[in-house]
């Protein structure tokens, strides 16, 4: 944005083009650095283990091999893991709605204990995860939720991060529109569903992307809660491919590349469908 | 507010609070209890063998020179990393949003990719980039006549190298939050400003940044908390070495507590970090409130 | 809005579906009347374990075995929760280093009295070192299953070029060979000693006569140990062993032998053969060079019965099946992991392979690391101590004194 400091507004068109180019070039240069490791990961997935370890390293695979991907399918109970992963991801979208509700509650109402309760919510993201792992497990065990899908998804259902994000954004929503809806006789719940949620599309999209990634990569609880491989997820499956003493990097790259694909699709989908649509409707 | 809607806020936050209470707050209380005991693996199997030790774990962990070093390292990470992350992701978001060409939409994906790249792949690729002998960075440096840099083998440089890696990983997430915030700004403000003849820079500082303060506040707080818990980068890249140069508070707690099942000690360390994070967050909340009042 | 509705509908369907799944998993002992055994297999070995289980069930139709794979990296967490809830498998594979910790917590059943019923499990069927690793507090808490030990890998051609037509046989020869190999030129080294390998120094110290821990007393400030640290430190200080090379063995062992010797486990035999095919016939393995002895460090895993199981007898029977030499060989064929059963090593697959024969020879003289529950902690502490010595040039005696006190504290806990 530094380029935006030129003074004269008169010759707007050519100056604007120059700035566009400058921004594009800056983003391209850093973009290459950003994307290189990712490209490397994808290309490595098509290399043999021997080629991955060669010095000097090759960027482009000498001979493309899909061996690593085949092994992923043959050595993992792939179908089951994929199904579980999808199920957990879907579940976490229920959590998304709960987080949005809570964020709205904290953003737009004044009620007793609001500040203290919100601090309590924030506090839950300040404690290192490992310290609560065993207590959470014992609680789930106490209510007989081990070895169930519900037990796997419940601990990660709500997140302070999500609530906080929703609160921050919903507090910027204009009060006038909400008041107008109330005057029309709408209940608070209709207000939330029909006015607040549609107006929060950009942040819903962001949180949807994050929720998807979280669900898609879920690892710890599926592993700990499951007493049966039938409840394992893709991430757990990938970890299983790791040997005790030797690591097959090509195979891991293939797994990582494969797992990141749906995330990219979802990301592109959400940013197209929601962020850009909103952009249009936002200009009144 | 109408009488019937008095209950509404509690209905909105109720389910979430209940879940958080059961799966986050209660476990935190249990962990607080554990931090006052000498619980280890045997204690986990048989509660009767656990004994109460008061604040001994806290005294031990605060007297551990490595833990104090880990806290200092963590501070180093936070002080350098947090402003960098915020500035870079905000800058990238503004530049992307500034662009009118279709190409800029591609950049959103490009800058987002690092944050979804699996950590195993990240470790492999960056280990190669930082490799002292054959790494890409040193290869470039030596071929343009500079000396090799001990990226991960000199304590201070290693910390900076990990910050660079973490920065690379975290730009994407914060960038999409900033972009979402930018999308939310009503275009009419800009139209009015342009009519008044405001320059691009003035529009940025007078409209964009103030309108984004909620997003900036969110990113600051969450980034700060995240960096105070800095763990994954040293865990996969250096295991805290060289000479404890990159060990962070979280990594120390993990290695010295959970790996060896000294649960009491680990819990005490976790709470020291926890209180530290609370203190830092409270200060930020205060500052924000003051700003809002002004 | 449509997408949202679809998502909501799918989520509702998923919820319903999984609740059903939750119910049915409760009653999944579908085959009534059968003894149900759960087995935890580590890492990528669940497929071969399922095959073993299938073979066993053929012989024992009244048993149904369920195998669950546990990733190595998270096995400790998974075991912790099993101990906490006392719900776990019936049979589990345990890495030798974790045995003392979990045995002390009562997570591993005492098998001492049961062993007599199973001739397959008699101690003299297995290498002595592997049997040692199953003992804790005078009880037998496991049965040897897989064994590995460290041996010397070296490039025959490169060593010949500096006048060695055999592998270094003593500490002095190893040092001398390393020196000559390093003097070949720039970016050339003698031997790859991984300073971050937790067993390295302890293994060498034992060869120098150190007991490491004797009667609950740490021996790390004694001359035998200090002398070893000095000896190893010399390799790093003189540049005979690289410190921050950052390269994988498969990158340094081939070609003209940047690092023409290294000490590692048997899994490297396959790795070297697969990944550096161009040096075929130019490398070999040898038992470790000796000082007072050449005892190596023993690793691998044991099979144990979970302490809170109700099916100990059925579990033991399955373990006895797995321990038969022919089944151990079958396992090796599937996974490349080496048997702990001595009889299995007489098979030509092992005795006929010169590299494997070396490993078999070394296994006869290999011991696990001391079986105290704090060992993991002690050995990780040592890595940090050692780093300050080889990297920051700290005073060896002072550092070892500190380390000894620190270790004693952990032992006394």
């Amino acid at each position: 944005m530094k380029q935006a400091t030129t003074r004269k507004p008169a010759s707007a068109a050519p100056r604007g083009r120059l700035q566009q180019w400058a921004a594009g070039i800056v983003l391209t240069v850093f973009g290459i650095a950003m994307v290189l490791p990712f490209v490397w990961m994808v290309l490595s997935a098509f290399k043999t283990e021997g080629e991955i370890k060669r010095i000097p390293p090759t960027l482009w695979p000498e001979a493309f091999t899909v061996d690593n991907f085949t092994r992923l399918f043959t050595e993992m109970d792939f179908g089951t893991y994929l199904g579980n992963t999808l199920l957990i991801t879907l579940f976490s979208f229920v959590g998304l709605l709960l987080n949005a509700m809570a964020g709205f509650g904290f953003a737009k109402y004044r009620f007793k204990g609001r500040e203290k309760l919100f601090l309590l919510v924030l506090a839950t993201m300040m404690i290192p995860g490992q310290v609560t792992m065993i207590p959470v497990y014992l609680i789930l065990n106490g209510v007989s939720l081990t070895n169930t899908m519900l037990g796997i998804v419940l601990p990660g259902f709500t997140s302070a991060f999500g609530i906080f994000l929703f609160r921050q954004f919903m507090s910027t929503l204009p009060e006038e529109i909400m008041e107008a809806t109330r005057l029309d006789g709408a209940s608070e719940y209709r207000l939330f569903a029909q006015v607040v949620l549609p107006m929060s599309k950009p942040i819903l999209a962001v949180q949807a992307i994050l929720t998807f990634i979280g669900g898609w990569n879920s690892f710890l609880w599926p592993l700990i809660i499951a007493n049966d491989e039938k409840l394992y997820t893709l991430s757990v499956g990938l970890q299983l491919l790791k040997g005790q003493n030797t690591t097959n990097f090509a195979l891991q790259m293939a797994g990582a590349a494969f797992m990141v694909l749906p995330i990219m699709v979802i990301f592109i989908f959400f940013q197209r469908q929601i962020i850009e649509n909103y952009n249009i409707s936002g200009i009144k | 507010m109408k009488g019937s809607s008095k209950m509404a806020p509690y209905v909105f936050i109720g389910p979430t609070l209940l879940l958080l209470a059961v799966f986050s707050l209660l476990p935190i209380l249990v962990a607080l209890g554990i931090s006052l005991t000498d619980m280890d693996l045997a204690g986990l199997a048989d509660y009767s063998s656990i004994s109460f030790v008061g604040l001994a774990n806290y005294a031990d962990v605060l007297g551990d020179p490595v833990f104090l070093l880990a806290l200092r390292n963590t501070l180093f990470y936070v002080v350098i990393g947090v402003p960098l992350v915020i500035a870079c992701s905000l800058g990238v978001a503004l530049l992307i949003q500034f662009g009118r060409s279709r190409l800029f939409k591609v950049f959103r994906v490009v800058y987002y990719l690092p944050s979804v790249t699996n950590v195993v792949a990240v470790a492999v690729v960056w280990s190669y980039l930082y490799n002292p002998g054959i790494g890409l960075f040193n290869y470039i440096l030596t071929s343009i006549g500079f000396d090799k840099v001990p990226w991960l083998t000199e304590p201070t440089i290693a910390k900076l190298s990990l910050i660079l890696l973490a920065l690379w990983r975290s730009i994407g997430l914060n960038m999409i939050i900033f972009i979402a915030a930018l999308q939310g700004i009503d275009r009419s403000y800009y139209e009015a400003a342009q009519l008044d003849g405001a320059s691009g820079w003035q529009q940025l500082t007078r409209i964009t940044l103030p309108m984004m303060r909620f997003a900036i506040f969110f990113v600051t707080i969450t980034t700060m908390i995240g960096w105070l818990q800095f763990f994954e980068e040293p865990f996969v890249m250096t295991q805290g070495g060289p000479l404890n140069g990159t060990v962070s508070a979280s990594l120390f707690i993990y290695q010295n507590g959970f790996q060896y099942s000294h649960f009491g000690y680990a819990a005490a360390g976790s709470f020291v970090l926890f209180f530290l994070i609370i203190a830092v967050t409270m200060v930020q909340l205060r500052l924000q409130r003051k700003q809002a009042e002004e | 809005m449509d997408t949202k509705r679809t998502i909501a509908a799918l989520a509702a369907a998923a919820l319903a579906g999984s609740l059903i799944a939750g119910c049915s998993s409760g009653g999944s002992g579908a085959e009534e009347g059968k003894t149900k055994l759960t087995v935890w297999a580590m890492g990528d070995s669940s497929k071969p374990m399922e095959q073993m289980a299938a073979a066993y069930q053929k012989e024992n139709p009244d048993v149904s075995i369920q195998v669950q794979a546990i990733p190595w990296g998270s096995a400790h967490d998974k075991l912790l929760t099993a101990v906490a809830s006392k719900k776990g498998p019936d049979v589990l594979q345990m890495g030798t280093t974790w045995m003392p910790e979990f045995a002390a917590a009562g997570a591993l059943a005492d098998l001492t009295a049961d062993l007599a019923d199973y001739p397959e499990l008699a101690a003299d069927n297995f290498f002595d070192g592997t049997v040692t690793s199953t003992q804790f507090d005078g009880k037998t808490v496991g049965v040897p299953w897989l064994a590995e030990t460290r041996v010397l890998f070296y490039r025959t051609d490169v060593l010949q070029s500096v006048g060695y037509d055999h592998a270094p046989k003593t500490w002095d020869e190893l040092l001398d060979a390393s020196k000559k190999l390093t003097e070949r030129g720039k970016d050339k080294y003698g031997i790859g000693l991984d300073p971050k390998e937790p067993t390295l120094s302890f293994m060498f110290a034992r060869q120098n006569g150190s007991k490491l821990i004797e009667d609950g007393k740490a021996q790390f400030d004694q001359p035998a140990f200090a002398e070893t640290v000095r000896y190893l430190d010399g390799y790093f200080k003189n540049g005979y062993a690289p410190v921050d090379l950052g390269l994988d063995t498969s990158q340094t062992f081939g070609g003209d032998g940047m690092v023409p010797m290294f000490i590692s486990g048997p899994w490297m035999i396959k790795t070297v053969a697969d990944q550096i095919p161009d040096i075929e016939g130019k490398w070999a393995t040898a038992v470790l060079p000796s000082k007072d002895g050449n005892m190596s460090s023993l690793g691998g895993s044991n099979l144990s019965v979970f302490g809170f199981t109700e099916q100990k007898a059925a579990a033991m029977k399955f373990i006895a099946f797995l321990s038969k030499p022919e089944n151990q060989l079958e396992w090796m064929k599937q996974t490349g992991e080496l048997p702990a059963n001595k009889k299995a090593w007489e098979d030509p697959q092992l005795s006929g392979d010169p590299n494997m024969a070396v490993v078999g020879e070394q296994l006869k003289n290999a011991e696990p690391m001391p079986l105290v529950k704090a060992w993991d902690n002690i050995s990780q502490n040592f890595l940090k101590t050692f780093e300050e010595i080889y990297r920051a040039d700290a005073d060896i005696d002072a550092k070892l004194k500190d380390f000894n006190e620190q270790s004693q504290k952990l032992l006394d806990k």
Side-chain angles (χ1 to χ4, degrees):
Chain A
M1 280 314 274
K2 290 257 159 60
Q3 297 87 348
T5 48
T6 354
R7 286 140 293 155
K8 270 201 239 153
S11 56
R15 189 204 56 168
R17 191 168 301 155
L18 199 71
Q19 289 176 354
Q20 291 285 316
W21 273 99
I25 289 167
V26 169
L27 284 174
T28 310
V29 169
F30 285 101
I32 290 171
M34 293 294 280
V35 84
L36 195 73
F38 182 83
V39 171
W40 186 306
M41 173 182 84
V42 174
L43 290 175
S44 297
F46 294 98
K47 293 177 193 168
T48 59
E49 181 69 7
E51 192 184 341
I52 280 192
K53 295 217 176 123
R54 182 146 343 135
I55 358 176
T58 54
L59 180 64
W60 200 257
E62 281 174 339
F64 274 84
T65 168
V66 289
D67 232 36
N68 299 316
F69 291 96
T70 327
R71 276 187 70 191
L72 277 185
F73 281 85
T74 50
E75 292 181 17
M76 278 165 65
D77 204 348
F78 191 79
T80 317
Y81 299 163
L82 183 67
N84 288 330
T85 310
L86 284 173
L87 206 61
I88 289 173
T89 309
L90 281 176
F91 254 118
S92 43
F93 275 87
V94 180
L96 170 72
L97 188 71
L98 289 181
N99 286 337
M101 279 165 53
F104 178 61
F106 280 118
K108 286 297 183 191
Y109 295 94
R110 302 203 157 270
F111 53 90
K112 232 178 115 190
R114 179 175 85 151
E115 298 297 310
K116 292 209 176 69
L117 283 175
F118 186 68
L119 275 182
L120 220 53
V121 169
L122 279 191
T124 61
M125 67 191 271
M126 300 176 190
I127 190 93
Q130 300 111 344
V131 76
T132 53
M133 183 187 84
I134 290 172
V136 172
Y137 176 80
L138 289 175
I139 291 169
L140 287 168
N141 187 43
V143 293
S144 304
L145 279 177
T146 47
N147 212 22
T148 64
M149 189 51 86
L150 202 60
I152 291 173
V153 291
L154 271 185
F157 222 41
T158 50
S159 80
F161 187 91
I163 298 169
F164 187 19
L165 186 63
F166 279 121
R167 185 194 89 134
Q168 284 308 97
F169 278 79
M170 287 175 172
S171 59
T172 66
L173 296 177
E175 293 282 347
E176 303 86 49
I177 301 177
M178 293 175 53
E179 264 327 302
T181 320
R182 284 197 184 107
L183 287 175
D184 286 346
S187 73
E188 297 298 311
Y189 312 107
R190 252 184 74 187
L191 172 77
F192 175 71
Q194 296 186 345
V195 177
V196 173
L197 278 186
M199 281 171 72
S200 312
K201 269 186 184 172
I203 210 60
L204 274 171
V206 169
Q207 190 60 29
I209 292 166
L210 298 182
T211 304
F212 183 88
I213 296 173
W216 187 252
N217 289 334
S218 51
F219 170 74
L220 186 69
W221 289 107
L223 173 72
I224 285 178
I225 292 295
N227 284 328
D228 191 333
E229 274 180 58
K230 288 192 180 76
L231 289 172
Y232 276 8
T233 57
L234 289 174
S235 291
V236 181
L238 271 189
Q239 287 292 318
L240 286 174
L241 293 173
K242 219 180 201 171
Q244 187 185 14
N245 298 311
T246 49
T247 303
N248 187 330
F249 288 112
L251 196 60
Q252 293 209 333
M253 290 292 179
F258 182 82
M259 277 201 64
V260 95
L261 212 80
I263 296 181
M264 284 190 59
V265 172
I266 287 283
F267 179 73
I268 293 167
F269 169 79
F270 273 111
Q271 76 149 8
R272 277 240 178 104
Q273 294 299 311
I274 304 179
I275 298 187
E276 285 171 18
N277 284 351
Y278 181 85
N279 201 354
I280 296 158
S281 67
I283 306 167
K284 278 164 235 158
Chain B
M1 210 182 287
K2 282 182 291 180
S4 67
S5 58
K6 274 258 167 60
M7 281 303 294
Y10 298 102
V11 175
F12 282 124
I13 64 170
T16 317
L17 279 190
L18 186 73
L19 281 170
L20 280 180
V22 176
F23 293 112
S24 294
L25 295 174
L26 184 61
I28 290 177
L29 287 180
V30 174
L32 188 63
I34 291 174
S35 75
L36 304 175
T37 69
D38 66 347
M39 182 158 143
D40 59 2
L41 190 63
L44 196 58
D46 176 13
Y47 295 149
S48 64
S49 70
I50 304 172
S51 44
F52 181 78
V53 296
L55 295 174
N57 286 324
Y58 289 88
D60 281 356
V61 77
L62 286 171
D64 189 328
V66 183
F67 185 67
L68 299 178
L69 176 63
L71 285 178
R72 278 203 297 279
N73 287 342
T74 306
L75 199 70
F76 185 96
Y77 290 130
V78 169
V79 167
I80 296 184
V82 174
L84 263 180
V85 168
I86 297 169
C88 289
S89 29
L90 188 59
V92 169
L94 288 170
L95 280 179
I96 287 178
Q97 210 51 14
F98 173 70
R100 284 191 292 270
S101 147
R102 285 200 145 265
L103 184 74
F104 285 81
K105 284 169 196 153
V106 178
F107 283 130
R108 269 191 215 149
V109 182
V110 164
Y111 280 81
Y112 188 64
L113 281 179
S115 58
V116 295
T117 307
N118 186 291
V119 68
V120 177
V122 169
V124 173
V125 174
W126 281 81
S127 300
Y128 165 69
L129 296 176
Y130 282 147
N131 187 294
I134 54 152
L136 185 69
F137 288 162
N138 274 350
Y139 174 77
I140 294 172
L141 283 177
T142 48
S143 60
I144 53 173
F146 286 97
D147 276 344
K148 286 181 174 179
V149 171
W151 296 105
L152 294 175
T153 48
E154 197 281 322
T156 307
I157 297 175
K159 277 194 275 285
L160 293 171
S161 301
L162 292 186
I163 288 175
L164 184 67
L165 166 58
L167 175 70
W168 173 82
R169 287 186 75 199
S170 57
I171 283 182
L173 168 69
N174 294 317
M175 175 200 73
I176 62 165
I177 293 172
F178 282 135
I179 287 181
L182 283 168
Q183 300 278 12
I185 301 176
D186 199 329
R187 291 283 172 276
S188 56
Y189 291 115
Y190 293 106
E191 283 153 21
Q194 276 156 9
L195 284 178
D196 291 345
S199 71
W201 180 252
Q202 283 169 330
Q203 289 178 38
L204 174 70
T205 51
R206 303 271 169 80
I207 304 173
T208 314
L209 290 182
M211 292 293 283
M212 285 181 70
R213 69 169 190 280
F214 286 93
I216 294 172
F217 175 68
F218 173 80
V219 170
T220 310
I221 296 263
T222 52
T223 306
M224 186 80 94
I225 294 176
W227 281 69
L228 282 166
Q229 297 180 350
F230 200 65
F231 175 77
E232 227 171 24
E233 284 80 8
F235 182 66
V236 297
M237 298 294 292
T238 61
Q239 286 285 323
L243 300 171
N244 289 323
T246 61
V247 69
S248 66
S250 284
L251 186 67
F252 173 89
I253 293 164
Y254 176 78
Q255 289 182 332
N256 291 274
F258 296 107
Q259 244 173 8
Y260 313 129
S261 309
H262 300 154
F263 302 120
Y265 189 69
S270 301
F271 277 96
V272 171
L273 184 61
F274 181 58
F275 293 131
L276 208 77
I277 297 176
I278 290 182
V280 171
T281 313
M282 293 296 270
V283 169
Q284 281 182 305
L285 287 172
R286 284 273 151 77
L287 283 178
Q288 197 232 7
R289 205 165 298 156
K290 235 186 215 162
Q291 265 180 351
E293 278 162 11
E294 270 161 18
Chain C
M1 276 316 264
D2 270 347
T3 35
K4 208 178 296 159
R5 218 164 274 160
T6 322
I7 288 171
L10 282 173
L15 188 81
S18 67
L19 285 180
I20 294 163
C23 293
S24 70
S25 79
S28 75
E31 299 143 284
E32 289 303 323
K34 283 193 179 185
T35 313
K36 203 175 151 219
L37 275 185
T38 310
V39 179
W40 279 5
M42 297 295 170
D44 48 4
S45 59
S46 79
K47 284 268 147 72
M49 185 58 94
E50 271 162 24
Q51 287 177 16
M52 298 304 253
Y56 181 73
Q57 289 171 87
K58 213 179 249 172
E59 285 176 27
N60 301 274
D62 58 329
V63 179
S64 126
I65 294 177
Q66 189 203 349
V67 178
Q68 184 177 5
I70 311 288
W72 275 112
S74 314
H76 199 262
D77 284 348
K78 182 78 181 160
L79 279 164
L80 286 186
T81 52
V83 172
S85 65
K86 305 187 172 49
K87 276 185 197 164
D90 301 298
V91 176
L92 72 164
Q93 181 188 347
M94 287 291 291
T96 47
T97 44
W98 287 349
M99 295 288 292
E101 189 192 357
F102 284 92
L108 308 178
D110 179 3
L111 309 177
T112 320
D114 308 71
L115 283 177
D117 303 339
Y118 303 93
E120 299 94 328
L121 303 182
D124 54 358
N125 288 340
F126 305 99
F127 289 103
D128 292 346
T130 65
V131 175
T132 313
S133 75
T134 63
Q135 307 297 312
F136 184 77
D137 233 2
K139 292 180 288 196
T140 302
V141 290
V143 174
W145 164 236
L146 307 168
E148 56 93 346
T149 187
R150 307 296 148 115
V151 294
L152 179 72
F153 291 70
Y154 66 105
R155 284 282 298 274
T156 47
D157 56 338
V158 180
L159 264 96
Q160 207 133 39
S161 75
V162 295
Y164 274 86
D165 56 359
H166 60 272
K169 286 194 171 71
T170 62
W171 277 26
D172 290 339
E173 278 192 13
L174 189 70
L175 191 65
D176 177 63
S178 299
K179 180 165 179 278
K180 288 181 174 147
L181 288 164
T182 309
E183 285 162 355
R184 283 177 301 158
K186 194 175 169 286
D187 285 335
K188 293 280 182 291
Y189 300 92
I191 183 168
L193 296 171
D194 182 359
K196 296 203 170 83
E197 162 60 49
T199 58
L200 178 80
S201 301
F202 300 117
M203 180 173 85
F204 273 90
R206 274 179 174 164
Q207 295 170 1
N208 197 33
S210 169
K211 291 270 184 285
L212 306 182
I213 296 170
E214 201 167 23
D215 302 326
K217 292 273 168 280
Q219 306 289 317
F220 305 116
D221 55 354
Q222 298 301 307
F225 194 81
E227 216 176 278
T228 310
V229 171
R230 242 175 226 113
Y231 173 75
L232 290 172
D233 184 42
Y235 281 89
F236 299 109
K237 289 273 164 65
N238 294 318
Y240 302 163
V243 176
D244 291 317
L245 199 54
L247 295 179
D248 201 84
T249 303
S250 57
Q251 297 165 327
T252 57
F253 196 56
D256 54 2
M258 190 179 190
V259 184
M261 297 193 283
F262 64 91
I263 291 174
S264 191
W267 57 87
M268 285 308 292
I269 295 173
K270 190 170 182 303
T271 307
V272 171
D274 287 354
Q275 292 180 4
I276 335 175
D278 50 314
I279 55 164
E280 199 190 327
K282 295 181 191 162
W283 64 278
T285 49
V287 293
L288 295 179
S290 74
K291 180 81 190 299
D292 290 352
N294 75 333
M295 188 198 280
S296 185
S297 130
L298 183 124
S301 32
N302 301 325
L303 291 169
S304 288
V305 176
F306 191 56
F308 306 100
T309 179
E310 283 161 10
Q311 321 222 45
K312 196 170 167 194
M316 288 294 284
K317 207 174 155 200
F318 181 56
I319 292 178
F321 171 81
L322 291 174
S323 299
K324 285 183 183 162
E326 61 269 29
N327 289 332
Q328 292 229 313
L329 285 169
E330 179 60 30
W331 182 267
M332 182 183 79
K333 226 156 101 196
Q334 303 274 346
T335 63
E337 294 171 323
L338 303 175
N341 190 309
K342 280 191 281 192
K343 196 89 177 267
W345 281 82
E346 287 164 15
D347 188 274
Q349 287 179 63
L350 285 169
S351 59
D353 179 320
N355 288 321
M356 284 302 170
V358 168
V359 176
E361 180 65 27
Q362 185 74 65
L363 271 176
K364 291 178 192 155
N365 187 14
E367 283 284 320
M369 287 292 121
L371 298 158
V372 293
K373 65 176 178 169
W375 184 255
D376 208 12
N377 201 345
I378 291 175
S379 66
Q380 292 297 325
N381 286 344
F382 179 73
L383 293 186
K384 298 215 160 155
T385 305
F386 191 46
E387 190 183 22
E388 297 201 36
I389 292 168
Y390 72 79
R391 197 188 281 283
D393 215 5
D395 180 67
I396 293 181
D397 292 313
K399 279 285 153 197
L400 288 181
K401 193 166 161 281
D402 288 350
F403 170 64
N404 200 63
E405 279 168 19
Q406 193 184 22
S407 305
Q408 191 59 51
K409 242 189 242 164
L410 286 168
L411 287 171
D412 293 340
K413 253 187 193 167

